[in-house]
Amino acid sequence: MGKAKSFAAKLAHETSSEGKVICPVCNTELKKLKIVTNKKKGSGSWSPKYEYIRVCKCNENDLLAGKKL
């Protein structure tokens, strides 16, 4: 097993901006959210449709309420 991370290491990882996408409006990290909806095929059966969207503080309430999907 690997070595357990210390609290300082976890905090340093959380505060680093390496590889993170920052929203220019609210200045918070954009997180990917996977939305699964049903899609009807031509044969009458249903299949899942996967869509990835980016969520931050400025659009979180609208997206999670279903207003802008």
Side-chain angles (χ1 to χ4, degrees), residues 51-68:
E51 181 181 358
Y52 292 93
I53 57 171
R54 297 225 177 229
V55 178
C56 66
K57 291 293 179 189
C58 50
N59 65 358
E60 180 179 36
N61 290 334
D62 290 337
L63 290 172
L64 296 180
K67 292 181 183 176
K68 291 186 179 180

Side-chain angles (χ1 to χ4, degrees), residues 9-44:
K10 289 179 184 178
L11 193 60
H13 178 73
E14 189 67 31
T15 58
S16 73
S17 62
E18 188 176 322
K20 295 181 182 178
V21 180
I22 305 295
C23 176
V25 177
C26 62
N27 203 23
T28 58
E29 179 185 359
L30 288 169
K31 299 186 183 208
K32 284 178 99 174
L33 184 69
K34 183 178 183 180
I35 297 182
V36 182
T37 55
N38 289 330
K39 178 181 163 187
K40 193 168 188 174
K41 290 184 178 181
S43 62

